[in-house]
Amino acid sequence: MMRLLKIEWIPIRHNKSIWIMLGLYMVLFALLSYAFDKFEFNAGGEGAMLLSQFNLLKFPDVWPNLAYLGSFFNLILAFIVIMLVTNEFSYRTLRQHLIDGLTRVEFLAGKLMVIGVLSLTLTVFLGIISLILGSVNSPSGAIPWTEGSEFLGAFFIQTLGYLVMAMFFGLLLRKAIFSIGLFLLYSWLIENLPGWITGFEIFDYLPGNAMDELIPSPFTRYLVSETAPQLPLASLVATVVWIGVFAGASYLLISKRDL
Amino acid sequence: MNPVLTLSNLSKNFGNLKAVNSVTFSVEKGSVFGILGPNGSGKTTTLGMLLGVLQPSGGNFSWFGEAPSAASLKRIGAILETPNFYPYLSGKANLKLVAAIKECGEDRIEEVLRQVNLLDRAKDKFRTYSLGMKQRLALAAALLNEPEVLVLDEPTNGLDPQGIAEVREVIGQIADSGTTILLASHLLDEVEKVCREVAILKKGELLYCGPVEGVSNDLSAQYVELSADDLKALEQVLSKHPQIMRITPRDKGLIATFTETIHGGDLNGYLFQQGIVLNHLAVRQKSLEAQFLELTNKNQ
């Protein structure tokens, strides 16, 4: 396991684009989290209103709200993963690794470990930001800070799911530009089409939709009902299943292919 | 006999194309073995299967008498086609990665870099290297695990004469140390200079497998140039020679090939006895190149 991590770490460590994208992710996310409740929100007829009136960053709301904000940033991470995977094809280093005695399963396991470490790191980062902003914005001792923190776990699973899906697209198409294009087209359009056309709820459990639903948008909640956010269990189960499906499909893609 | 590599009926199809068609041969431990063939003859495809990047369509192969596995690949050092490294990593960092994959430790990195004469450029990024340096870094990577077998695919392709000489010198040193070498090339000259045994491929078919000298025996590599004032009489007498194979006129003389090796003096004596006085006699060796072309054309 340490060997596989080392094999992944050496090329990542010197890859400037990855560190620039990660740095951008963290700085932008920290800034937007801080500014989250200072935006104006245009709610149709009633005109513009300040989000600050809802106190979005107090415990326990801070957990689902920042997790929701974080899910927009997953796209940057998906680009990183697609780049990492497709580089191995364009530099032909996967081919060389196999010649040197890495197995196809080890290659896949290495990439999954990177995805796991990346998801975990950013979950911890999100957790720290949420804790800090939550403590600043909550009256002390009012509500235990752990309440609602299950959304931190949901963020981890969501990120993991997005990235395993991104890896699959990278392995499928092997070229960064095609993989990113199809990934965007698929998750923004193709997957939503059957739902829009038929209106069947079952299409909410397609991979991208299930991952999106995992952390629901806070805005409708504040406008429509003031109930505490619930973790959607069905979406959680669907996401975990999809992670398994994409990992398995990636294995099938890579195990017999000529490289 | 102790083969490190055995292929039996190994085949690879790309759609309808039989890129490698039921190829069988084995490579003995310690030998310097060449795979020779024109471009598109299936050399790289064969090596691709042996090195685990292509799935055979049929047949099988074994390294060190074992079924193919990552473990056996770690005992091999191989370059397939182009040198493949991360362009933004230094030569040294790339070798660290190879060491991690091969599980062979990093202590030999400096040694192999010195061996291929790249030590002073070790810290520079791979993309700044010239083609010859890239090729040499690939050779260094292949040598990192002190391989029992070194597999090289067109190792001097695209190099200038100095680069070719440098790479060949390193290969020669490695061969002398007793490492088994498997070298694929379309350059006959290269195989002739470096290898002791050769398998000749054409359009995926194995045409010949055996010692390099054997190619000659197979094909009467020797020919004799003769000329006399009376060419007609010379041809008549020659055609009665017990070992004669073929007589072809050329320029102002004849070219004769024989079924056995002929000694120039004996032939001259024989002709003189028959009343022929020669004004030119030369026994020549066909180059491996000529033989190779003959062999591959014969099988068209």
Side-chain angles (χ1 to χ4, degrees):
Chain A
M1 179 153 158
M2 284 315 290
R3 167 174 167 257
L4 295 183
L5 278 176
K6 187 177 179 187
I7 291 167
E8 295 297 330
W9 173 242
I10 293 173
I12 289 175
R13 198 177 79 164
H14 295 94
N15 189 327
K16 280 195 196 105
S17 344
I18 285 179
W19 294 109
I20 290 170
M21 283 201 267
L22 267 182
L24 206 67
Y25 177 110
M26 291 190 163
V27 170
L28 272 180
F29 183 71
L31 285 174
L32 278 176
S33 300
Y34 172 74
F36 195 41
D37 63 351
K38 292 163 188 67
F39 285 115
E40 283 188 1
F41 185 69
N42 202 330
E46 293 169 45
M49 58 180 163
L50 276 174
L51 283 178
S52 53
Q53 62 177 300
F54 301 117
N55 200 357
L56 299 177
L57 296 175
K58 67 175 187 296
F59 288 126
D61 301 40
V62 64
W63 296 113
N65 290 351
L66 286 189
Y68 178 75
L69 182 67
S71 57
F72 285 92
F73 284 80
N74 279 342
L75 207 55
I76 299 182
L77 300 182
F79 289 168
I80 291 179
V81 166
I82 286 177
M83 197 169 80
L84 278 177
V85 170
T86 54
N87 274 354
E88 306 280 15
F89 292 99
S90 54
Y91 300 150
R92 294 166 72 91
T93 38
L94 169 57
R95 185 177 154 100
Q96 190 63 43
H97 290 355
L98 297 184
I99 291 170
D100 289 338
L102 194 74
T103 67
R104 291 163 192 244
V105 174
E106 282 173 337
F107 168 76
L108 205 60
K111 289 288 173 279
L112 285 172
M113 280 182 205
V114 170
I115 288 174
V117 170
L118 201 57
S119 305
L120 196 65
T121 308
L122 292 166
T123 304
V124 169
F125 179 70
L126 173 72
I128 292 169
I129 301 245
S130 302
L131 269 182
I132 293 170
L133 289 176
S135 314
V136 171
N137 291 291
S138 307
S140 60
I143 297 173
W145 63 270
T146 46
E147 206 182 300
S149 62
E150 66 269 19
F151 277 94
L152 200 58
F155 176 80
F156 174 72
I157 299 291
Q158 187 195 51
T159 310
L160 205 61
Y162 257 127
L163 299 188
V164 174
M165 187 164 130
M167 176 186 79
F168 171 79
F169 277 95
L171 290 174
L172 183 70
L173 297 174
R174 292 183 260 187
K175 293 239 183 321
I177 187 82
F178 297 145
S179 308
I180 289 172
L182 188 72
F183 182 77
L184 292 180
L185 197 68
Y186 175 79
S187 52
W188 287 353
L189 183 70
I190 297 173
E191 188 168 279
N192 293 317
L193 282 179
W196 290 337
I197 293 165
T198 64
F200 292 149
E201 205 175 309
I202 185 78
F203 295 115
D204 288 348
Y205 298 104
L206 287 175
N209 291 340
M211 291 168 202
D212 281 344
E213 303 272 320
L214 197 50
I215 301 168
S217 157
F219 302 119
T220 42
R221 191 176 72 236
Y222 287 110
L223 291 176
V224 180
S225 61
E226 263 282 11
T227 54
Q230 291 289 314
L231 194 69
L233 275 178
S235 303
L236 181 68
V237 172
T239 303
V240 171
V241 169
W242 281 117
I243 290 174
V245 168
F246 280 119
S250 299
Y251 171 74
L252 290 179
L253 263 186
I254 199 94
S255 62
K256 291 282 170 205
R257 189 195 267 171
D258 288 341
L259 292 160
Chain B
M1 296 309 248
N2 188 3
V4 289
L5 170 66
T6 310
L7 288 73
S8 76
N9 299 316
L10 196 65
S11 303
K12 177 71 184 177
N13 305 334
F14 294 114
N16 286 329
L17 176 76
K18 286 181 173 162
V20 175
N21 192 2
S22 201
V23 167
T24 300
F25 65 82
S26 61
V27 177
E28 295 301 318
K29 190 172 174 13
S31 71
V32 181
F33 193 100
I35 299 180
L36 183 60
N39 291 329
S41 57
K43 302 182 300 285
T44 301
T45 308
T46 304
L47 292 184
M49 288 189 277
L50 299 178
L51 297 171
V53 293
L54 299 179
Q55 306 284 335
S57 309
N60 54 58
F61 63 92
S62 67
W63 285 105
F64 314 108
E66 296 162 9
S69 70
S72 52
L73 287 174
K74 283 175 196 159
R75 296 164 66 182
I76 298 167
I79 308 173
L80 195 58
E81 293 178 292
T82 48
N84 304 320
F85 294 100
Y86 295 95
Y88 58 85
L89 290 185
S90 70
K92 195 173 176 183
N94 271 303
L95 290 189
K96 279 186 183 175
L97 189 69
V98 174
I101 292 172
K102 291 186 171 182
E103 296 182 271
C104 63
E106 296 176 1
D107 37 314
R108 265 176 56 80
I109 287 179
E110 229 166 81
E111 190 183 330
V112 292
L113 281 170
R114 189 176 297 115
Q115 201 172 351
V116 300
N117 204 10
L118 266 183
L119 200 53
D120 52 333
R121 293 291 303 270
K123 286 188 177 135
D124 294 333
K125 288 183 170 42
F126 176 70
R127 65 160 165 258
T128 68
Y129 288 9
S130 71
L131 182 61
M133 293 164 72
K134 287 177 178 174
Q135 211 88 318
R136 269 158 34 214
L137 186 68
L139 197 54
L143 293 172
L144 200 55
N145 56 337
E146 295 186 86
E148 292 163 58
V149 186
L150 186 63
V151 181
L152 303 168
D153 183 18
E154 308 277 5
T156 58
N157 217 6
L159 299 187
D160 59 15
Q162 197 200 335
I164 292 174
E166 283 171 359
V167 166
R168 282 201 188 142
E169 197 191 315
V170 177
I171 295 172
Q173 288 165 8
I174 297 154
D176 290 344
S177 72
T179 306
T180 309
I181 295 184
L182 184 60
L183 175 121
S185 178
H186 69 280
L187 301 170
L188 305 133
D189 176 57
E190 183 158 275
V191 170
E192 199 174 23
K193 277 194 181 125
V194 178
C195 301
R196 275 157 252 169
E197 278 177 287
V198 64
I200 300 181
L201 285 179
K202 196 197 171 198
K203 291 187 177 166
E205 308 263 358
L206 184 67
L207 298 186
Y208 171 86
C209 183
V212 171
E213 302 78 34
V215 182
S216 316
N217 296 340
D218 234 34
L219 283 160
S220 66
Q222 188 195 44
Y223 65 99
V224 185
E225 292 173 5
L226 306 121
S227 91
D229 290 337
D230 187 352
L231 279 178
K232 275 226 166 93
L234 173 63
E235 192 172 350
Q236 218 161 31
V237 170
L238 259 183
S239 63
K240 286 178 192 131
H241 189 280
Q243 276 93 40
I244 192 74
M245 201 162 81
R246 195 183 338 161
I247 306 167
T248 19
R250 185 194 284 177
D251 301 333
K252 287 170 189 160
L254 298 173
I255 301 286
T257 52
F258 296 85
T259 52
E260 279 173 29
T261 310
I262 282 288
H263 185 249
D266 294 345
L267 182 64
N268 196 11
Y270 166 83
L271 290 170
F272 192 73
Q273 271 176 13
Q274 308 284 323
I276 304 283
V277 181
L278 295 171
N279 43 34
H280 175 71
L281 171 71
V283 180
R284 306 230 188 258
Q285 284 305 122
K286 280 184 200 167
S287 70
L288 186 58
E289 179 147 2
Q291 297 166 53
F292 171 72
L293 287 174
E294 209 166 289
L295 189 60
T296 49
N297 287 332
K298 204 170 73 180
N299 283 273
Q300 219 145 31

